[in-house]
Amino acid sequence: MRIRSALAAAAVLTLAAACGGGGGGGGGSSSAPDEPVKLNFLSLAWQKESVAANKQIVEEWNKANPNIQVTYVQGSWDNVNDQLVTQFAGGTAPDVIHNDSPALSGFASDGYLLDLSAKLPAELKNDIPQAAWDTVTFDGGQGEQGIYGVPFLQESQVIIANKKLLDAAKVRVPTADKPWTWDEFSEAAKKMTKDGTYGVAWPMKSPVNKILNLSLTYGGTFFQTAGGKTTVKVGPEEREVLQRIHDQLYKDKSADPAALGQGTADPLPAFYQGKFALLPAGVYLRQQVVEQAPEGFEWVTLPGPVGTSAQQGAVSQTLSIAQDSEHPDEALKFIAFFLNGANQAKLAKGDWLLPTSRTAAADPSMTTGENGWDVATASAKNLVVAPFLKVNGFDEWETKVAAPVLQEYLANKITIDEAATRLVEDGNKVLERYQR
Amino acid sequence: MTATVTRAAPPGRPGTRSRGISRQTRETWLLMLPALVPVLLFSVGPLLYGIGLAFTDARNTRVHETSFVGLENFTRLLGDDEFWASFKIGAIWSVSVTVLQFLAALGLALLLNERLRFRGVARVLAVVPWAMPPVVIGLMWKLVYHPDAGILNDLLGTDVNWLADFSLALPAIIVVGIWTGMPQTTVVLLAGLQGVPKELYEAGHMDGAGSWRRFWNITLPQLRPVIVAITSLDFVWNINQFGLVYVLTQGGPGGQTRLPMLFAYEEAFRYRFAGYASMLGLAMAIVVLAVLGLYLWRQMRETR
């Protein structure tokens, strides 16, 4: 009898333990009627100024809205998608989620994010241009298109240049109105290559997004959709930028080979030492140059090179709401406040990125010549939705096919024809998996 | 005070078996229950669940309905070039690290077994890497290998990007793997060396055997059970390695260091094909058990 009772108690305890972690989807605590609504906000801000701006805005919100209290949760770009996969599956995802548009596509089609199309306040909707909304409009998994996040920060590619080496080369200095063509860029890099100094460095540890975004300057999209089926294409438009970078590395020898396997910020110490003159990078890298460059080091921000057009693929940072959030309306109110024009200007300055808000972009601090803000902000007009954002299975194509193939090509281990064949054939096999 | 004494059944007699489960057996199970329940819930349960998932098309999504697909994931695995490439990398990694780690650890253990000055300090220093978490080791070696600021390039006067070079990345992480696992192998071998009877060496010495002969004919045979145990464990640890390589290269460049566990992790967490990832895990477990079984069987046969 005693054994039976003990077993029953153990079973109850086991069940209680098993049930304890479940429920309460959305990660926010369900609140008693007289208690404030509690929301969790997962932020991926990492630069010091940006974290401070995020926390300050949350604090302002909490003071002004005692009935909707937001808890700031610090996340990291390094592992956010692993964290979210686990949290979504366990029903413990935060209510408000900071991420970027390439990641949203998968989570939206998997049904984890709330479609905001019908809920967005007009003021917020109208303050952000349609091109930016396009970066967060995806298939929600049932064939319908929805808006799965609010885009608020975007990145464009610029060239950060060592001013002394640039002046010494006596080349035309490109401006936002008259940027370098790719030919001029290559010529300039060649002129700057002398006495152990290279003209340019291409850090290509993660080459895919950079190549795909820059390829738009020649109309290279890498994907085509016909009859509802998406396939990879690598034609002359897609080869152009790839070939030009390869030429800088192995034909002109104007690109520093040591930088090739590095992450975007890794070549900065060599840049300060004058080992190379030009560093094509996202606009955010200016922040690290400002903070780390040795005293007396002079640098300028130049617009990215143009081909048949100046277009670049846009990827947005976003705020989304978990489908399982218990307080989606309150979460959206918080997002609308968090991303109003004034706050977006603060966030953009903190992250050294471009705000999507028209009000924020008009802020004088966004157009000053100091630290290249004028060039960076001007480049925003050339941003168009990156075609790969809409491709289901892009992530796997990127990791398994595109990254290895592009790295091998840029390391001069395969020809451009071999690269193209593998990108298409292996790539289509990957995409097939997502189109069943 | 009263005490309950349970009398053991006399040898050769099954005691109360004829009346079903004995009281002693019942009590034994009851006492084991608090330890067994968590093991069943958190270890055996998920393991069985994972095996079950391997035969489904489960995806980590909210909209997908999971169905049983039989051996479809297994068939896919057999024809998956990416998996075989990863498997080959895993085999090179685990065999190289296990063998080289063993050789280096044996050398170090022999040295630490000698009567050296500061032997105690040397022994402590030798196990330092053991105290470090894999993530910290990964970050530390990333700095060592850094192309601009790394100490290795400084020492060699080179300009090599060790972890991003297609030919050098795998050897570079193998070196880290050896360094990481050496302390525990050394400690186990050192313990084995101290268990070798001194009389055997004295007898060998008297028979005129030189140091190499004594090592070959006395030390190695005496160490064989320890060697079999530690190399088997090292092999299992190495083939299941994840954290260290994830921090160092994330499987790059171009998948050149994508170990099978990294491959399975990407399938499960990046692409969210939980069923296929489970099949990868199951297949790897079977392979490891098969290799290990064969190795142990051969070693044991030779020992006999």
Side-chain angles (χ1 to χ4, degrees):
Chain A
M1 185 65 199
R2 239 180 291 167
I3 291 171
R4 227 178 287 162
S5 308
L7 282 174
V12 169
L13 281 172
T14 308
L15 279 173
C19 296
S29 328
S30 55
S31 316
D34 54 343
E35 279 184 9
V37 165
K38 288 177 185 164
L39 300 175
N40 285 327
F41 164 41
L42 177 71
S43 167
L44 303 179
W46 61 278
Q47 309 221 47
K48 206 172 147 193
E49 294 171 59
S50 173
V51 172
N54 271 258
K55 287 184 174 170
Q56 186 201 340
I57 300 170
V58 169
E59 206 174 304
E60 284 168 16
W61 166 270
N62 283 340
K63 267 189 197 154
N65 297 274
N67 293 328
I68 307 172
Q69 290 295 292
V70 174
T71 304
Y72 179 92
V73 180
Q74 186 65 60
S76 162
W77 287 106
D78 291 340
N79 59 6
V80 63
N81 292 326
D82 301 348
Q83 178 187 342
L84 286 174
V85 167
T86 316
Q87 288 190 309
F88 280 135
T92 58
D95 301 272
V96 179
I97 299 162
H98 182 186
N99 210 325
D100 62 11
S101 45
L104 286 201
S105 164
F107 287 128
S109 65
D110 288 346
Y112 287 129
L113 299 176
L114 190 69
D115 179 7
L116 308 175
S117 329
K119 293 171 183 280
L120 287 167
E123 198 182 340
L124 181 66
K125 183 93 202 287
N126 297 332
D127 192 32
I128 295 173
Q130 187 55 42
W133 288 113
D134 287 344
T135 63
V136 289
T137 305
F138 300 111
D139 181 342
Q142 312 287 340
E144 80 297 346
Q145 293 288 309
I147 295 176
Y148 290 94
V150 180
F152 69 106
L153 292 175
Q154 292 187 324
E155 175 187 318
S156 63
Q157 295 290 314
V158 290
I159 301 169
I160 298 176
N162 179 321
K163 190 169 182 308
K164 201 172 136 195
L165 295 174
L166 181 71
D167 291 344
K170 294 192 171 33
V171 294
R172 180 180 74 79
V173 177
T175 61
D177 295 330
K178 198 160 185 265
W180 276 336
T181 61
W182 274 92
D183 287 337
E184 284 179 293
F185 172 44
S186 299
E187 278 308 309
K190 273 201 268 184
K191 274 193 181 171
M192 291 174 200
T193 305
K194 56 183 170 191
D195 306 329
T197 297
Y198 287 97
V200 62
W202 286 102
M204 287 291 190
K205 187 179 177 188
S206 310
V208 183
N209 282 11
K210 190 175 269 185
I211 295 284
L212 264 58
N213 286 333
L214 286 174
S215 290
L216 279 175
T217 56
Y218 282 100
T221 57
F222 282 87
F223 295 98
Q224 59 192 359
T225 303
K229 191 179 176 189
T230 301
T231 50
V232 184
K233 81 174 178 89
V234 183
E237 299 89 352
E238 285 76 20
R239 291 174 181 226
E240 193 68 45
V241 167
L242 264 174
Q243 182 71 63
R244 282 171 180 274
I245 295 174
H246 192 272
D247 283 350
Q248 287 188 327
L249 281 159
Y250 302 103
K251 197 172 140 198
D252 303 344
K253 299 195 188 302
S254 59
D256 183 357
L260 198 58
Q262 298 186 336
T264 307
D266 293 340
L268 282 176
F271 179 58
Y272 305 140
Q273 289 163 14
K275 205 176 161 199
F276 58 87
L278 306 170
L279 179 61
V283 285
Y284 73 91
L285 201 69
R286 294 169 303 140
Q287 189 263 356
Q288 291 190 44
V289 179
V290 168
E291 276 202 351
Q292 301 167 359
E295 212 173 307
F297 180 80
E298 287 186 88
W299 62 282
V300 287
T301 305
L302 309 176
V306 299
T308 50
S309 84
Q311 285 188 345
Q312 291 185 20
V315 168
S316 309
Q317 287 191 25
T318 56
L319 289 188
S320 304
I321 299 175
Q323 180 70 262
D324 286 342
S325 171
E326 290 174 2
H327 308 290
D329 295 336
E330 290 84 352
L332 191 55
K333 278 183 195 161
F334 167 70
I335 290 177
F337 170 80
F338 193 86
L339 298 182
N340 67 34
N343 286 339
Q344 269 210 45
K346 276 184 212 165
L347 295 168
K349 272 184 276 179
D351 259 328
W352 293 66
L353 288 167
L354 311 172
T356 54
S357 153
R358 292 187 177 101
T359 317
D363 189 293
S365 62
M366 292 282 122
T367 51
T368 171
E370 196 183 349
N371 296 328
W373 274 107
D374 51 349
V375 175
T377 304
S379 66
K381 68 175 188 295
N382 299 318
L383 292 175
V384 294
V385 61
F388 61 82
L389 280 185
K390 310 283 178 183
V391 176
N392 202 4
F394 169 74
D395 200 17
E396 188 172 344
W397 178 78
E398 178 191 8
T399 318
K400 280 191 183 168
V401 181
V405 169
L406 295 182
Q407 283 168 342
E408 280 184 59
Y409 172 63
L410 292 171
N412 207 22
K413 293 195 176 294
I414 53 173
T415 66
I416 194 154
D417 289 332
E418 287 172 307
T421 308
R422 280 173 57 188
L423 285 172
V424 173
E425 289 180 1
D426 297 352
N428 286 339
K429 272 189 219 159
V430 167
L431 296 189
E432 192 77 28
R433 194 179 187 192
Y434 294 83
Q435 292 171 20
R436 283 173 189 165
Chain B
M1 197 174 108
T2 55
T4 309
V5 177
T6 308
R7 209 168 29 170
R13 288 182 59 187
T16 51
R17 188 177 284 174
S18 57
R19 284 185 281 123
I21 301 166
S22 73
R23 191 173 160 200
Q24 188 182 11
T25 310
R26 273 206 312 266
E27 283 178 357
T28 307
W29 277 102
L30 190 64
L31 288 169
M32 284 195 330
L33 207 59
L36 268 182
V37 167
V39 171
L40 290 172
L41 267 180
F42 302 116
S43 194
V44 178
L47 183 72
L48 295 175
Y49 182 65
I51 293 173
L53 271 186
F55 299 95
T56 69
D57 64 352
R59 295 208 57 197
N60 289 331
T61 77
R62 206 167 180 272
V63 290
H64 176 77
E65 283 196 17
T66 301
S67 11
F68 178 76
V69 293
L71 290 174
E72 194 182 301
N73 286 330
F74 185 67
T75 317
R76 182 185 154 76
L77 187 75
L78 292 180
D80 189 341
D81 296 341
E82 293 289 331
F83 167 72
W84 288 110
S86 168
F87 185 79
K88 190 177 149 198
I89 293 165
I92 295 172
W93 153 270
S94 45
V95 172
S96 316
V97 174
T98 305
V99 171
L100 297 173
Q101 197 172 67
F102 164 70
L103 293 176
L106 182 62
L108 188 61
L110 287 169
L111 195 69
L112 293 175
N113 199 37
E114 294 299 314
R115 291 181 187 279
L116 301 169
R117 274 184 89 185
F118 307 116
R119 186 169 69 169
V121 179
R123 282 180 178 178
V124 171
L125 287 176
V127 297
V128 164
W130 203 355
M132 294 166 77
V135 173
V136 176
I137 293 175
L139 292 172
M140 191 185 79
W141 277 90
K142 258 181 118 163
L143 288 176
V144 170
Y145 283 135
H146 194 282
D148 290 320
I151 192 171
L152 188 61
N153 274 341
D154 269 359
L155 286 173
L156 300 176
T158 51
D159 199 11
V160 180
N161 197 341
W162 299 92
L163 296 175
D165 187 286
F166 274 66
S167 325
L168 296 175
L170 186 57
I173 64 162
I174 286 174
V175 169
V176 184
I178 295 167
W179 188 85
T180 308
M182 224 171 74
Q184 63 210 28
T185 314
T186 307
V187 167
V188 173
L189 291 173
L190 187 58
L193 282 173
Q194 288 174 350
V196 179
K198 298 273 182 293
E199 297 79 15
L200 293 177
Y201 290 113
E202 285 164 12
H205 200 71
M206 286 175 74
D207 288 346
S211 19
W212 172 250
R213 208 93 190 129
R214 288 201 300 273
F215 170 73
W216 192 253
N217 289 345
I218 300 172
T219 311
L220 268 188
Q222 288 292 315
L223 273 184
R224 186 186 282 274
V226 177
I227 293 171
V228 169
I230 192 62
T231 48
S232 308
L233 286 172
D234 278 347
F235 177 75
V236 174
W237 283 326
N238 289 326
I239 201 151
N240 286 329
Q241 181 57 259
F242 174 81
L244 188 66
V245 181
Y246 184 79
V247 173
L248 281 166
T249 61
Q250 293 199 314
Q256 296 298 307
T257 60
R258 189 184 285 136
L259 301 184
M261 287 306 133
L262 279 163
F263 188 82
Y265 158 82
E266 284 176 355
E267 283 294 328
F269 287 91
R270 279 198 85 157
Y271 321 133
R272 311 203 261 284
F273 288 96
Y276 187 55
S278 301
M279 180 53 83
L280 283 166
L282 181 60
M284 285 307 296
I286 292 169
V287 168
V288 172
L289 286 174
V291 172
L292 210 57
L294 190 69
Y295 174 68
L296 288 174
W297 175 71
R298 279 182 63 102
Q299 291 298 323
M300 293 305 173
R301 206 176 55 166
E302 282 175 27
T303 307
R304 264 186 244 134

